[in-house]
């Protein structure tokens, strides 16, 4: 993989830390700002909602921008809103900074995905996407638990300051190492790219990705209270459990990079079945520390392995939209990241307890299989009606 692609992963690490770190900070934010735990959990949904809206919008606006300049602009905005977030005493202002930061993150990731696949051969898009998303999984392994530790020691604001500081070397790395030009030649017409995005196979892949990612974030957002209130582990365990999930995620993304370009369908089928079964097992076994911890690792691996493979398949299916593909893939997956925490917070708020989001995760994976099954049956029916010559 090109060295510049690894440096893009560093920037994605900083941004992934910001997106995911609230899983270990939700209770602290709720206490400090005087809101409920589900309300504080909505900060994750707000970030994801900003990603959903921002990714296609910013990708469309940045089609003709020099890639390095666009990436640097997004990083500067991202850094600035974390400084504001660390200083504010208002939940409303904090919520607004999450949305603005999400727009910047969305723009960065959309441009970075396009830049990443442009750095590798045409048949290596899966490996490029997995390498870039390795920054996200490293955020789960190191960044998110570190944020939780900082929150325990000095309060949740320290985690926001840490993200701003980590963004500084990423800024320098991108400025020095990412090629400064735009895509080779003039980008395709915007109308033609939008038309390509109506490809049924692409739309199905994006929908499946949204459902799988929704399942991931539904449980991950409330993993801290699940561990402390259901599993019975103390607060000091939370960073380690988050790191365990992240280690699983890194393992899953690494494995997916080997299959996404060669044997994606068997990997998605087997991984999806195991993912759904694993959420059910975690819901049932969350009260027992040893199986719960093992399942946290396994679900991290399966969630990100299946999710990153679906991202790669979306990039393959969107070859007619080279400048917008990353934005729409980012948007679709963050639909899940917005809906998942909202659904988890809704079932907790309804009084079903902290196991309930895990059951919702299982239901979302089951829904993904149902959607895929309907699509396959329709395709087979169309094939049978098509006359053969």
């Amino acid at each position: 993989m090109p060295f510049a692609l690894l440096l893009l992963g560093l920037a994605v690490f900083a941004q992934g830390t910001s997106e995911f770190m609230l899983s270990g900070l939700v209770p602290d934010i709720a206490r400090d700002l005087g809101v409920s735990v589900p309300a504080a959990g909505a900060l994750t949904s707000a970030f994801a909602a900003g990603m959903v809206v921002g990714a296609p919008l910013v990708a469309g606006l940045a089609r003709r921008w020099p890639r390095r300049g666009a990436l640097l602009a997004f990083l500067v905005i991202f850094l600035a809103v974390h400084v504001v977030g660390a200083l504010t005493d208002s939940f409303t202002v904090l919520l607004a900074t999450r949305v603005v930061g999400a727009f910047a993150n969305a723009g960065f990731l959309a441009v970075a995905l396009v830049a990443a696949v442009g750095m590798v051969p045409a048949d290596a898009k899966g490996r490029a996407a997995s390498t870039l998303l390795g920054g996200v999984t490293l955020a789960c392994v190191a960044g998110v638990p570190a944020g939780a530790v900082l929150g325990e020691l000095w309060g949740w604001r320290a985690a926001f300051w840490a993200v701003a500081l980590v963004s500084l070397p990423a800024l320098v790395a991108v400025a020095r190492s990412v090629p400064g030009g735009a895509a080779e030649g003039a980008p395709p017409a915007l109308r033609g790219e939008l038309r390509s995005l109506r490809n049924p196979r692409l739309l199905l892949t994006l929908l499946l990705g949204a459902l799988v990612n929704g399942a991931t974030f539904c449980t991950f957002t409330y993993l801290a209270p699940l561990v402390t209130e259901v599993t019975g582990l103390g607060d000091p365990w939370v960073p380690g459990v988050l790191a365990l999930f992240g280690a699983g995620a890194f393992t899953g993304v690494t494995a997916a990079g080997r299959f996404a370009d060669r044997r994606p369908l068997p990997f998605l089928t087997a991984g999806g079945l195991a993912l759904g079964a694993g959420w059910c097992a975690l819901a049932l076994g969350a009260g027992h520390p040893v199986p719960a911890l093992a399942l946290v690792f396994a679900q991290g691996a399966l969630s990100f392995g299946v999710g990153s493979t679906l991202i790669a398949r979306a990039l393959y299916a969107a070859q007619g939209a080279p400048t917008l593909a990353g934005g729409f893939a980012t948007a679709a997956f963050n639909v899940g990241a917005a809906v998942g925490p909202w659904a988890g917070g809704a079932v907790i708020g309804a009084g079903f307890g902290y196991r309930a989001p895990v059951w919702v995760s299982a239901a979302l994976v089951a829904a993904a299989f149902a959607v895929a099954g309907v699509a396959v049956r329709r395709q087979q029916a169309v094939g049978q009606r098509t006359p053969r010559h």
Side-chain angles (χ1 to χ4, degrees), residues 40 58 68 73 81 90 103 109 156 191 227 272 277 361 371 378:
V58 177
R68 183 172 59 203
V81 297
S90 167
F103 264 74
L109 189 56
W156 62 269
R191 183 176 299 178
V227 166
S361 295
V371 168
R378 285 185 177 179

Side-chain angles (χ1 to χ4, degrees), residues 178-286:
V178 175
E184 293 80 0
L190 180 60
R191 183 176 299 178
E193 289 205 55
L194 292 173
R195 191 181 304 116
S196 298
L197 293 172
R198 297 201 298 262
N199 179 343
R201 184 163 64 93
L202 171 62
L203 294 176
L204 174 63
T205 303
L206 295 178
L207 177 57
L208 296 178
L211 289 169
V212 168
N213 214 35
T216 302
F217 279 89
C218 184
T219 294
F220 186 71
T221 301
Y222 301 101
L223 194 55
L226 179 72
V227 166
T228 57
E229 301 298 327
V230 179
T231 309
L233 299 175
D235 288 340
W237 278 83
V238 171
V241 174
L242 294 173
L244 189 63
F245 185 93
F250 183 76
T251 302
V253 164
T254 303
R258 302 176 184 275
F259 292 100
D261 297 315
R262 297 179 182 178
R263 303 191 63 186
L265 294 182
F267 181 78
L268 288 172
T269 301
L273 288 171
L275 181 61
W279 288 131
C280 293
L282 180 59
L284 293 171

Side-chain angles (χ1 to χ4, degrees), residues 29-30 33-36 38-43 88-97:
I29 292 174
L33 299 184
V35 298
S36 67
L43 291 169
T88 187
D89 290 318
S90 167
F91 181 77
T92 301
V93 172
L94 181 61
L95 189 66
T97 66

